[in-house]
Amino acid sequence: MAMELRRPERTFTIRQLCTEFKATPRALRFYEDKGLLTPARDGMNRVYSYKDRARLILILRGKRVGLSLQEIREILELYDEGDDAMHQNAHSLKKFREKIVVLEQQREDIEGAITELKTACERLETRLAEKRPDLLPKAADYDQMLRARLDGHAEMAMGK
Amino acid sequence: MAMELRRPERTFTIRQLCTEFKATPRALRFYEDKGLLTPARDGMNRVYSYKDRARLILILRGKRVGLSLQEIREILELYDEGDDAMHQNAHSLKKFREKIVVLEQQREDIEGAITELKTACERLETRLAEKRPDLLPKAADYDQMLRARLDGHAEMAMGK
DNA sequence: AATCCCGTTTACGTCAACGTCAAGCGGTGA
DNA sequence: TCACCGCTTGACGTTGACGTAAACGGGATT
């Protein structure tokens, strides 16, 4: 039975995907409205395949890096293949190249922001240590943070 | 005269800052509304100091890495210093730590997205080269792209 | 049969970050 | 003086990505 869950014929309900990826049903239906997902139906109800789930993963990651749903759809359509529109493809190619430039800039920005935040943290920490050491975070807080990170990574691993 | 422009007493009009950073007056006034900027006044008109300009740079970079104006304001208030609120600082410390985690995750996402886009570009390019080589971007296009990137970097250098 | 519970559609609401007018002020050049 | 320019303050509009509420359907359980 547990093995069944791993078989690629497996399907998912909307809620299963929502809880797995911390999304809402509203969001998934919205993505469907916008043409990013097209799950099958069992009567009225949506039935998500493994492929749908893979698309959802791409959607969510696209969002995290700041792509619009429209841009994400273009990428997904590329993977769909099968149609003729080569002009479309030429256009996509150009837009993707532009997006890569933007993302590389973003990566620089983020690295800068990370180091800046870290130095700000150090400043805060030493100042707090001097004047109000009682306000410094306790070991328990760190524990909770670590838990959160591990949870996050567990999901990532499953997603992959 | 040119040297005057470099002296830190220099001030800026709203439009000067806007053209320098490709923002709009509306945006700068909006940031002011939200408490991120507090330029001096000459009669009715806003007069931005070098400090204001520095804050604006931080605001824009914060935006590029996906911080909300609210979050940016917290960071800026930290640099203001001078007040007592150490609890505030303890809170900021916690939030900054969380934000660092988020940003590190974002960096991972972006790196993933970049490689994914690059492979997508390659697929597109080979497919176009096979079937419709006439649609491939010309050397002129690349030239224009390079110009754009160089312009961008020139601004970064000025901003720094 | 009644009650959950999960799912559905339709439609309106919300929030951030501005854009877009409209109307008016203050200086400057012709 | 007049026309123009750039700046100002409201105030309303917009866009993307959903949230929320209403009203309903259909199994499963009680």
Side-chain angles (χ1 to χ4, degrees):
Chain A
M1 303 170 68
M3 300 185 61
E4 296 286 343
L5 296 178
R6 294 239 161 239
R7 285 195 2 219
E9 305 87 34
R10 233 214 100 175
T11 61
F12 305 85
T13 74
I14 194 169
R15 192 147 303 273
Q16 283 171 338
L17 290 186
C18 285
T19 59
E20 178 173 3
F21 298 112
K22 289 175 185 166
T24 67
R26 179 69 180 91
L28 297 209
R29 295 188 198 111
F30 185 75
Y31 301 152
E32 187 174 342
D33 258 27
K34 299 294 168 180
L36 283 82
L37 284 175
T38 44
R41 296 290 181 131
D42 172 19
M44 301 229 76
N45 296 1
R46 290 166 173 82
V47 179
Y48 295 87
S49 69
Y50 243 95
K51 266 193 70 174
D52 292 323
R53 181 173 168 281
R55 289 172 77 92
L56 179 56
I57 291 175
L58 284 180
I59 293 171
L60 296 178
R61 195 175 77 183
K63 287 198 47 181
R64 288 200 300 272
V65 306
L67 302 184
S68 72
L69 295 185
Q70 168 62 25
E71 292 171 316
I72 295 171
R73 200 181 68 184
E74 290 181 33
I75 297 179
L76 292 177
E77 280 167 0
L78 192 72
Y79 284 92
D80 285 347
E81 291 291 311
D83 64 340
D84 47 293
M86 279 289 158
H87 282 87
Q88 264 275 7
N89 286 352
H91 183 232
S92 297
L93 178 58
K94 197 179 162 209
K95 291 196 60 180
F96 287 2
R97 288 244 171 75
E98 290 167 6
K99 202 73 202 181
I100 288 175
V101 173
V102 171
L103 285 179
E104 282 171 345
Q105 171 63 48
Q106 269 192 41
R107 185 176 50 186
E108 271 186 50
D109 286 336
I110 285 185
E111 274 160 11
I114 287 177
T115 63
E116 203 161 303
L117 278 175
K118 280 186 177 172
T119 67
C121 279
E122 284 177 22
R123 284 179 55 188
L124 276 174
E125 206 166 28
T126 60
R127 194 141 35 105
L128 279 174
E130 284 170 12
K131 305 194 179 179
R132 298 294 305 274
D134 55 310
L135 294 180
L136 282 174
K138 315 293 179 207
D141 300 340
Y142 283 111
D143 187 54
Q144 192 163 2
M145 280 184 58
L146 287 177
R147 264 168 222 268
R149 290 203 63 173
L150 289 174
D151 287 356
H153 287 173
E155 276 158 20
M156 295 284 304
M158 290 181 60
K160 186 103 189 208
Chain B
M1 303 170 67
M3 300 184 61
E4 297 287 341
L5 296 178
R6 292 238 164 240
R7 284 196 2 217
E9 307 87 34
R10 234 213 98 178
T11 60
F12 306 84
T13 75
I14 194 169
R15 192 148 303 273
Q16 284 172 337
L17 290 185
C18 285
T19 59
E20 178 173 4
F21 298 112
K22 289 176 184 166
T24 66
R26 179 70 180 89
L28 298 209
R29 294 186 199 112
F30 186 74
Y31 301 151
E32 187 174 342
D33 258 27
K34 299 294 172 181
L36 283 82
L37 284 176
T38 45
R41 295 292 180 127
D42 171 19
M44 303 226 75
N45 296 0
R46 290 168 174 81
V47 178
Y48 294 87
S49 69
Y50 244 92
K51 266 194 70 175
D52 293 322
R53 181 173 169 280
R55 290 171 76 93
L56 179 56
I57 292 175
L58 284 179
I59 291 171
L60 296 178
R61 196 175 76 182
K63 287 199 47 183
R64 287 200 301 271
V65 305
L67 301 185
S68 71
L69 295 186
Q70 168 62 25
E71 292 171 315
I72 295 171
R73 201 180 69 183
E74 291 180 31
I75 297 179
L76 290 177
E77 281 167 0
L78 192 72
Y79 283 93
D80 284 346
E81 291 290 310
D83 64 339
D84 47 294
M86 280 288 155
H87 282 87
Q88 265 275 9
N89 285 351
H91 183 232
S92 297
L93 178 58
K94 196 179 161 206
K95 294 197 62 182
F96 287 3
R97 287 243 172 76
E98 290 167 7
K99 202 70 201 182
I100 288 174
V101 172
V102 171
L103 285 178
E104 283 171 345
Q105 171 63 48
Q106 270 194 39
R107 186 177 48 186
E108 270 186 49
D109 286 335
I110 285 184
E111 275 161 10
I114 286 176
T115 65
E116 205 160 301
L117 278 174
K118 281 186 176 171
T119 68
C121 279
E122 284 176 21
R123 286 179 53 187
L124 276 174
E125 205 165 29
T126 62
R127 192 142 35 102
L128 278 174
E130 286 170 10
K131 306 196 178 177
R132 296 296 304 276
D134 55 310
L135 294 180
L136 280 175
K138 316 291 180 211
D141 299 339
Y142 283 111
D143 187 52
Q144 191 163 3
M145 280 184 59
L146 286 177
R147 265 167 221 267
R149 289 204 63 174
L150 288 176
D151 288 354
H153 287 173
E155 276 158 19
M156 297 283 304
M158 289 181 60
K160 184 106 190 209

mmCIF file with all atom_site columns, all heavy atoms in Angstrom, chain A residues 94-112:
data_model
loop_
_atom_site.group_PDB
_atom_site.id
_atom_site.type_symbol
_atom_site.label_atom_id
_atom_site.label_alt_id
_atom_site.label_comp_id
_atom_site.label_asym_id
_atom_site.label_entity_id
_atom_site.label_seq_id
_atom_site.pdbx_PDB_ins_code
_atom_site.Cartn_x
_atom_site.Cartn_y
_atom_site.Cartn_z
_atom_site.occupancy
_atom_site.B_iso_or_equiv
_atom_site.pdbx_formal_charge
_atom_site.auth_seq_id
_atom_site.auth_comp_id
_atom_site.auth_asym_id
_atom_site.auth_atom_id
_atom_site.pdbx_PDB_model_num
ATOM 1   N N   . LYS A 1 94  ? 14.086 34.940 -26.491 1.00 0.00 ? 94  LYS A N   1
ATOM 2   C CA  . LYS A 1 94  ? 14.542 36.290 -26.169 1.00 0.00 ? 94  LYS A CA  1
ATOM 3   C C   . LYS A 1 94  ? 14.169 36.650 -24.733 1.00 0.00 ? 94  LYS A C   1
ATOM 4   O O   . LYS A 1 94  ? 14.986 37.138 -23.955 1.00 0.00 ? 94  LYS A O   1
ATOM 5   C CB  . LYS A 1 94  ? 13.886 37.281 -27.148 1.00 0.00 ? 94  LYS A CB  1
ATOM 6   C CG  . LYS A 1 94  ? 14.562 38.633 -27.190 1.00 0.00 ? 94  LYS A CG  1
ATOM 7   C CD  . LYS A 1 94  ? 13.867 39.546 -28.213 1.00 0.00 ? 94  LYS A CD  1
ATOM 8   C CE  . LYS A 1 94  ? 14.219 41.014 -27.981 1.00 0.00 ? 94  LYS A CE  1
ATOM 9   N NZ  . LYS A 1 94  ? 13.154 41.922 -28.417 1.00 0.00 ? 94  LYS A NZ  1
ATOM 10  N N   . LYS A 1 95  ? 12.936 36.373 -24.372 1.00 0.00 ? 95  LYS A N   1
ATOM 11  C CA  . LYS A 1 95  ? 12.489 36.726 -23.029 1.00 0.00 ? 95  LYS A CA  1
ATOM 12  C C   . LYS A 1 95  ? 13.239 35.951 -21.959 1.00 0.00 ? 95  LYS A C   1
ATOM 13  O O   . LYS A 1 95  ? 13.555 36.470 -20.897 1.00 0.00 ? 95  LYS A O   1
ATOM 14  C CB  . LYS A 1 95  ? 10.984 36.478 -22.905 1.00 0.00 ? 95  LYS A CB  1
ATOM 15  C CG  . LYS A 1 95  ? 10.171 37.445 -23.736 1.00 0.00 ? 95  LYS A CG  1
ATOM 16  C CD  . LYS A 1 95  ? 8.717  37.441 -23.315 1.00 0.00 ? 95  LYS A CD  1
ATOM 17  C CE  . LYS A 1 95  ? 8.539  37.831 -21.866 1.00 0.00 ? 95  LYS A CE  1
ATOM 18  N NZ  . LYS A 1 95  ? 7.115  37.833 -21.463 1.00 0.00 ? 95  LYS A NZ  1
ATOM 19  N N   . PHE A 1 96  ? 13.534 34.713 -22.257 1.00 0.00 ? 96  PHE A N   1
ATOM 20  C CA  . PHE A 1 96  ? 14.267 33.914 -21.270 1.00 0.00 ? 96  PHE A CA  1
ATOM 21  C C   . PHE A 1 96  ? 15.650 34.480 -21.055 1.00 0.00 ? 96  PHE A C   1
ATOM 22  O O   . PHE A 1 96  ? 16.147 34.573 -19.916 1.00 0.00 ? 96  PHE A O   1
ATOM 23  C CB  . PHE A 1 96  ? 14.357 32.471 -21.737 1.00 0.00 ? 96  PHE A CB  1
ATOM 24  C CG  . PHE A 1 96  ? 13.051 31.729 -21.643 1.00 0.00 ? 96  PHE A CG  1
ATOM 25  C CD1 . PHE A 1 96  ? 11.899 32.366 -21.213 1.00 0.00 ? 96  PHE A CD1 1
ATOM 26  C CD2 . PHE A 1 96  ? 12.985 30.383 -21.986 1.00 0.00 ? 96  PHE A CD2 1
ATOM 27  C CE1 . PHE A 1 96  ? 10.696 31.693 -21.135 1.00 0.00 ? 96  PHE A CE1 1
ATOM 28  C CE2 . PHE A 1 96  ? 11.781 29.697 -21.899 1.00 0.00 ? 96  PHE A CE2 1
ATOM 29  C CZ  . PHE A 1 96  ? 10.642 30.348 -21.481 1.00 0.00 ? 96  PHE A CZ  1
ATOM 30  N N   . ARG A 1 97  ? 16.286 34.850 -22.165 1.00 0.00 ? 97  ARG A N   1
ATOM 31  C CA  . ARG A 1 97  ? 17.622 35.431 -22.036 1.00 0.00 ? 97  ARG A CA  1
ATOM 32  C C   . ARG A 1 97  ? 17.590 36.668 -21.158 1.00 0.00 ? 97  ARG A C   1
ATOM 33  O O   . ARG A 1 97  ? 18.428 36.859 -20.284 1.00 0.00 ? 97  ARG A O   1
ATOM 34  C CB  . ARG A 1 97  ? 18.158 35.790 -23.415 1.00 0.00 ? 97  ARG A CB  1
ATOM 35  C CG  . ARG A 1 97  ? 18.547 34.595 -24.243 1.00 0.00 ? 97  ARG A CG  1
ATOM 36  C CD  . ARG A 1 97  ? 20.048 34.591 -24.533 1.00 0.00 ? 97  ARG A CD  1
ATOM 37  N NE  . ARG A 1 97  ? 20.448 33.322 -25.148 1.00 0.00 ? 97  ARG A NE  1
ATOM 38  C CZ  . ARG A 1 97  ? 20.193 33.005 -26.401 1.00 0.00 ? 97  ARG A CZ  1
ATOM 39  N NH1 . ARG A 1 97  ? 19.545 33.858 -27.177 1.00 0.00 ? 97  ARG A NH1 1
ATOM 40  N NH2 . ARG A 1 97  ? 20.597 31.834 -26.878 1.00 0.00 ? 97  ARG A NH2 1
ATOM 41  N N   . GLU A 1 98  ? 16.578 37.491 -21.411 1.00 0.00 ? 98  GLU A N   1
ATOM 42  C CA  . GLU A 1 98  ? 16.445 38.696 -20.584 1.00 0.00 ? 98  GLU A CA  1
ATOM 43  C C   . GLU A 1 98  ? 16.247 38.319 -19.120 1.00 0.00 ? 98  GLU A C   1
ATOM 44  O O   . GLU A 1 98  ? 16.844 38.904 -18.221 1.00 0.00 ? 98  GLU A O   1
ATOM 45  C CB  . GLU A 1 98  ? 15.267 39.536 -21.067 1.00 0.00 ? 98  GLU A CB  1
ATOM 46  C CG  . GLU A 1 98  ? 15.486 40.197 -22.414 1.00 0.00 ? 98  GLU A CG  1
ATOM 47  C CD  . GLU A 1 98  ? 14.207 40.752 -23.011 1.00 0.00 ? 98  GLU A CD  1
ATOM 48  O OE1 . GLU A 1 98  ? 13.165 40.716 -22.311 1.00 0.00 ? 98  GLU A OE1 1
ATOM 49  O OE2 . GLU A 1 98  ? 14.257 41.205 -24.160 1.00 0.00 ? 98  GLU A OE2 1
ATOM 50  N N   . LYS A 1 99  ? 15.408 37.330 -18.924 1.00 0.00 ? 99  LYS A N   1
ATOM 51  C CA  . LYS A 1 99  ? 15.113 36.935 -17.544 1.00 0.00 ? 99  LYS A CA  1
ATOM 52  C C   . LYS A 1 99  ? 16.352 36.402 -16.843 1.00 0.00 ? 99  LYS A C   1
ATOM 53  O O   . LYS A 1 99  ? 16.540 36.606 -15.648 1.00 0.00 ? 99  LYS A O   1
ATOM 54  C CB  . LYS A 1 99  ? 14.005 35.887 -17.554 1.00 0.00 ? 99  LYS A CB  1
ATOM 55  C CG  . LYS A 1 99  ? 13.260 35.795 -16.255 1.00 0.00 ? 99  LYS A CG  1
ATOM 56  C CD  . LYS A 1 99  ? 12.355 37.000 -16.073 1.00 0.00 ? 99  LYS A CD  1
ATOM 57  C CE  . LYS A 1 99  ? 12.010 37.214 -14.605 1.00 0.00 ? 99  LYS A CE  1
ATOM 58  N NZ  . LYS A 1 99  ? 11.110 38.379 -14.454 1.00 0.00 ? 99  LYS A NZ  1
ATOM 59  N N   . ILE A 1 100 ? 17.192 35.715 -17.576 1.00 0.00 ? 100 ILE A N   1
ATOM 60  C CA  . ILE A 1 100 ? 18.419 35.211 -16.974 1.00 0.00 ? 100 ILE A CA  1
ATOM 61  C C   . ILE A 1 100 ? 19.272 36.366 -16.472 1.00 0.00 ? 100 ILE A C   1
ATOM 62  O O   . ILE A 1 100 ? 19.798 36.332 -15.359 1.00 0.00 ? 100 ILE A O   1
ATOM 63  C CB  . ILE A 1 100 ? 19.202 34.365 -17.992 1.00 0.00 ? 100 ILE A CB  1
ATOM 64  C CG1 . ILE A 1 100 ? 18.481 33.031 -18.218 1.00 0.00 ? 100 ILE A CG1 1
ATOM 65  C CG2 . ILE A 1 100 ? 20.621 34.102 -17.512 1.00 0.00 ? 100 ILE A CG2 1
ATOM 66  C CD1 . ILE A 1 100 ? 19.095 32.165 -19.305 1.00 0.00 ? 100 ILE A CD1 1
ATOM 67  N N   . VAL A 1 101 ? 19.381 37.392 -17.300 1.00 0.00 ? 101 VAL A N   1
ATOM 68  C CA  . VAL A 1 101 ? 20.142 38.568 -16.873 1.00 0.00 ? 101 VAL A CA  1
ATOM 69  C C   . VAL A 1 101 ? 19.557 39.132 -15.584 1.00 0.00 ? 101 VAL A C   1
ATOM 70  O O   . VAL A 1 101 ? 20.281 39.426 -14.628 1.00 0.00 ? 101 VAL A O   1
ATOM 71  C CB  . VAL A 1 101 ? 20.131 39.640 -17.977 1.00 0.00 ? 101 VAL A CB  1
ATOM 72  C CG1 . VAL A 1 101 ? 20.761 40.919 -17.484 1.00 0.00 ? 101 VAL A CG1 1
ATOM 73  C CG2 . VAL A 1 101 ? 20.871 39.132 -19.207 1.00 0.00 ? 101 VAL A CG2 1
ATOM 74  N N   . VAL A 1 102 ? 18.241 39.247 -15.550 1.00 0.00 ? 102 VAL A N   1
ATOM 75  C CA  . VAL A 1 102 ? 17.591 39.789 -14.358 1.00 0.00 ? 102 VAL A CA  1
ATOM 76  C C   . VAL A 1 102 ? 17.880 38.917 -13.149 1.00 0.00 ? 102 VAL A C   1
ATOM 77  O O   . VAL A 1 102 ? 18.202 39.409 -12.065 1.00 0.00 ? 102 VAL A O   1
ATOM 78  C CB  . VAL A 1 102 ? 16.069 39.882 -14.587 1.00 0.00 ? 102 VAL A CB  1
ATOM 79  C CG1 . VAL A 1 102 ? 15.362 40.226 -13.295 1.00 0.00 ? 102 VAL A CG1 1
ATOM 80  C CG2 . VAL A 1 102 ? 15.764 40.921 -15.653 1.00 0.00 ? 102 VAL A CG2 1
ATOM 81  N N   . LEU A 1 103 ? 17.795 37.622 -13.341 1.00 0.00 ? 103 LEU A N   1
ATOM 82  C CA  . LEU A 1 103 ? 17.990 36.723 -12.211 1.00 0.00 ? 103 LEU A CA  1
ATOM 83  C C   . LEU A 1 103 ? 19.431 36.773 -11.714 1.00 0.00 ? 103 LEU A C   1
ATOM 84  O O   . LEU A 1 103 ? 19.688 36.716 -10.511 1.00 0.00 ? 103 LEU A O   1
ATOM 85  C CB  . LEU A 1 103 ? 17.626 35.294 -12.610 1.00 0.00 ? 103 LEU A CB  1
ATOM 86  C CG  . LEU A 1 103 ? 16.132 35.029 -12.723 1.00 0.00 ? 103 LEU A CG  1
ATOM 87  C CD1 . LEU A 1 103 ? 15.871 33.594 -13.160 1.00 0.00 ? 103 LEU A CD1 1
ATOM 88  C CD2 . LEU A 1 103 ? 15.441 35.283 -11.403 1.00 0.00 ? 103 LEU A CD2 1
ATOM 89  N N   . GLU A 1 104 ? 20.366 36.898 -12.645 1.00 0.00 ? 104 GLU A N   1
ATOM 90  C CA  . GLU A 1 104 ? 21.761 36.974 -12.204 1.00 0.00 ? 104 GLU A CA  1
ATOM 91  C C   . GLU A 1 104 ? 21.991 38.255 -11.416 1.00 0.00 ? 104 GLU A C   1
ATOM 92  O O   . GLU A 1 104 ? 22.722 38.250 -10.418 1.00 0.00 ? 104 GLU A O   1
ATOM 93  C CB  . GLU A 1 104 ? 22.693 36.885 -13.411 1.00 0.00 ? 104 GLU A CB  1
ATOM 94  C CG  . GLU A 1 104 ? 22.836 35.446 -13.897 1.00 0.00 ? 104 GLU A CG  1
ATOM 95  C CD  . GLU A 1 104 ? 23.573 35.338 -15.218 1.00 0.00 ? 104 GLU A CD  1
ATOM 96  O OE1 . GLU A 1 104 ? 23.734 36.366 -15.898 1.00 0.00 ? 104 GLU A OE1 1
ATOM 97  O OE2 . GLU A 1 104 ? 23.985 34.214 -15.570 1.00 0.00 ? 104 GLU A OE2 1
ATOM 98  N N   . GLN A 1 105 ? 21.341 39.310 -11.837 1.00 0.00 ? 105 GLN A N   1
ATOM 99  C CA  . GLN A 1 105 ? 21.411 40.551 -11.064 1.00 0.00 ? 105 GLN A CA  1
ATOM 100 C C   . GLN A 1 105 ? 20.786 40.340 -9.689  1.00 0.00 ? 105 GLN A C   1
ATOM 101 O O   . GLN A 1 105 ? 21.329 40.760 -8.671  1.00 0.00 ? 105 GLN A O   1
ATOM 102 C CB  . GLN A 1 105 ? 20.667 41.655 -11.824 1.00 0.00 ? 105 GLN A CB  1
ATOM 103 C CG  . GLN A 1 105 ? 20.489 42.933 -11.032 1.00 0.00 ? 105 GLN A CG  1
ATOM 104 C CD  . GLN A 1 105 ? 21.814 43.568 -10.692 1.00 0.00 ? 105 GLN A CD  1
ATOM 105 O OE1 . GLN A 1 105 ? 22.677 43.724 -11.555 1.00 0.00 ? 105 GLN A OE1 1
ATOM 106 N NE2 . GLN A 1 105 ? 22.008 43.921 -9.428  1.00 0.00 ? 105 GLN A NE2 1
ATOM 107 N N   . GLN A 1 106 ? 19.652 39.659 -9.681  1.00 0.00 ? 106 GLN A N   1
ATOM 108 C CA  . GLN A 1 106 ? 18.989 39.403 -8.396  1.00 0.00 ? 106 GLN A CA  1
ATOM 109 C C   . GLN A 1 106 ? 19.873 38.600 -7.465  1.00 0.00 ? 106 GLN A C   1
ATOM 110 O O   . GLN A 1 106 ? 19.895 38.837 -6.258  1.00 0.00 ? 106 GLN A O   1
ATOM 111 C CB  . GLN A 1 106 ? 17.693 38.648 -8.638  1.00 0.00 ? 106 GLN A CB  1
ATOM 112 C CG  . GLN A 1 106 ? 16.488 39.537 -8.834  1.00 0.00 ? 106 GLN A CG  1
ATOM 113 C CD  . GLN A 1 106 ? 15.213 38.723 -8.779  1.00 0.00 ? 106 GLN A CD  1
ATOM 114 O OE1 . GLN A 1 106 ? 15.054 37.822 -7.955  1.00 0.00 ? 106 GLN A OE1 1
ATOM 115 N NE2 . GLN A 1 106 ? 14.281 39.033 -9.666  1.00 0.00 ? 106 GLN A NE2 1
ATOM 116 N N   . ARG A 1 107 ? 20.567 37.648 -8.038  1.00 0.00 ? 107 ARG A N   1
ATOM 117 C CA  . ARG A 1 107 ? 21.437 36.829 -7.195  1.00 0.00 ? 107 ARG A CA  1
ATOM 118 C C   . ARG A 1 107 ? 22.499 37.704 -6.540  1.00 0.00 ? 107 ARG A C   1
ATOM 119 O O   . ARG A 1 107 ? 22.766 37.586 -5.345  1.00 0.00 ? 107 ARG A O   1
ATOM 120 C CB  . ARG A 1 107 ? 22.075 35.724 -8.024  1.00 0.00 ? 107 ARG A CB  1
ATOM 121 C CG  . ARG A 1 107 ? 22.886 34.760 -7.181  1.00 0.00 ? 107 ARG A CG  1
ATOM 122 C CD  . ARG A 1 107 ? 23.427 33.636 -8.013  1.00 0.00 ? 107 ARG A CD  1
ATOM 123 N NE  . ARG A 1 107 ? 24.095 34.136 -9.216  1.00 0.00 ? 107 ARG A NE  1
ATOM 124 C CZ  . ARG A 1 107 ? 24.567 33.358 -10.171 1.00 0.00 ? 107 ARG A CZ  1
ATOM 125 N NH1 . ARG A 1 107 ? 24.427 32.047 -10.074 1.00 0.00 ? 107 ARG A NH1 1
ATOM 126 N NH2 . ARG A 1 107 ? 25.146 33.865 -11.216 1.00 0.00 ? 107 ARG A NH2 1
ATOM 127 N N   . GLU A 1 108 ? 23.070 38.601 -7.337  1.00 0.00 ? 108 GLU A N   1
ATOM 128 C CA  . GLU A 1 108 ? 24.041 39.537 -6.759  1.00 0.00 ? 108 GLU A CA  1
ATOM 129 C C   . GLU A 1 108 ? 23.412 40.346 -5.649  1.00 0.00 ? 108 GLU A C   1
ATOM 130 O O   . GLU A 1 108 ? 23.969 40.492 -4.562  1.00 0.00 ? 108 GLU A O   1
ATOM 131 C CB  . GLU A 1 108 ? 24.552 40.489 -7.849  1.00 0.00 ? 108 GLU A CB  1
ATOM 132 C CG  . GLU A 1 108 ? 25.766 39.996 -8.597  1.00 0.00 ? 108 GLU A CG  1
ATOM 133 C CD  . GLU A 1 108 ? 26.269 41.086 -9.554  1.00 0.00 ? 108 GLU A CD  1
ATOM 134 O OE1 . GLU A 1 108 ? 26.441 42.226 -9.099  1.00 0.00 ? 108 GLU A OE1 1
ATOM 135 O OE2 . GLU A 1 108 ? 26.467 40.787 -10.743 1.00 0.00 ? 108 GLU A OE2 1
ATOM 136 N N   . ASP A 1 109 ? 22.253 40.889 -5.942  1.00 0.00 ? 109 ASP A N   1
ATOM 137 C CA  . ASP A 1 109 ? 21.560 41.695 -4.942  1.00 0.00 ? 109 ASP A CA  1
ATOM 138 C C   . ASP A 1 109 ? 21.345 40.904 -3.660  1.00 0.00 ? 109 ASP A C   1
ATOM 139 O O   . ASP A 1 109 ? 21.573 41.395 -2.557  1.00 0.00 ? 109 ASP A O   1
ATOM 140 C CB  . ASP A 1 109 ? 20.199 42.145 -5.484  1.00 0.00 ? 109 ASP A CB  1
ATOM 141 C CG  . ASP A 1 109 ? 20.330 43.254 -6.517  1.00 0.00 ? 109 ASP A CG  1
ATOM 142 O OD1 . ASP A 1 109 ? 21.357 43.961 -6.476  1.00 0.00 ? 109 ASP A OD1 1
ATOM 143 O OD2 . ASP A 1 109 ? 19.437 43.405 -7.347  1.00 0.00 ? 109 ASP A OD2 1
ATOM 144 N N   . ILE A 1 110 ? 20.902 39.676 -3.835  1.00 0.00 ? 110 ILE A N   1
ATOM 145 C CA  . ILE A 1 110 ? 20.598 38.875 -2.656  1.00 0.00 ? 110 ILE A CA  1
ATOM 146 C C   . ILE A 1 110 ? 21.854 38.589 -1.862  1.00 0.00 ? 110 ILE A C   1
ATOM 147 O O   . ILE A 1 110 ? 21.865 38.669 -0.634  1.00 0.00 ? 110 ILE A O   1
ATOM 148 C CB  . ILE A 1 110 ? 19.900 37.573 -3.092  1.00 0.00 ? 110 ILE A CB  1
ATOM 149 C CG1 . ILE A 1 110 ? 18.458 37.890 -3.491  1.00 0.00 ? 110 ILE A CG1 1
ATOM 150 C CG2 . ILE A 1 110 ? 19.938 36.549 -1.972  1.00 0.00 ? 110 ILE A CG2 1
ATOM 151 C CD1 . ILE A 1 110 ? 17.641 36.677 -3.828  1.00 0.00 ? 110 ILE A CD1 1
ATOM 152 N N   . GLU A 1 111 ? 22.929 38.298 -2.552  1.00 0.00 ? 111 GLU A N   1
ATOM 153 C CA  . GLU A 1 111 ? 24.165 38.061 -1.816  1.00 0.00 ? 111 GLU A CA  1
ATOM 154 C C   . GLU A 1 111 ? 24.574 39.316 -1.060  1.00 0.00 ? 111 GLU A C   1
ATOM 155 O O   . GLU A 1 111 ? 24.979 39.243 0.104   1.00 0.00 ? 111 GLU A O   1
ATOM 156 C CB  . GLU A 1 111 ? 25.260 37.610 -2.779  1.00 0.00 ? 111 GLU A CB  1
ATOM 157 C CG  . GLU A 1 111 ? 25.214 36.102 -3.000  1.00 0.00 ? 111 GLU A CG  1
ATOM 158 C CD  . GLU A 1 111 ? 25.926 35.674 -4.270  1.00 0.00 ? 111 GLU A CD  1
ATOM 159 O OE1 . GLU A 1 111 ? 26.621 36.507 -4.868  1.00 0.00 ? 111 GLU A OE1 1
ATOM 160 O OE2 . GLU A 1 111 ? 25.772 34.494 -4.653  1.00 0.00 ? 111 GLU A OE2 1
ATOM 161 N N   . GLY A 1 112 ? 24.444 40.455 -1.710  1.00 0.00 ? 112 GLY A N   1
ATOM 162 C CA  . GLY A 1 112 ? 24.747 41.707 -1.015  1.00 0.00 ? 112 GLY A CA  1
ATOM 163 C C   . GLY A 1 112 ? 23.854 41.897 0.190   1.00 0.00 ? 112 GLY A C   1
ATOM 164 O O   . GLY A 1 112 ? 24.329 42.252 1.278   1.00 0.00 ? 112 GLY A O   1
#
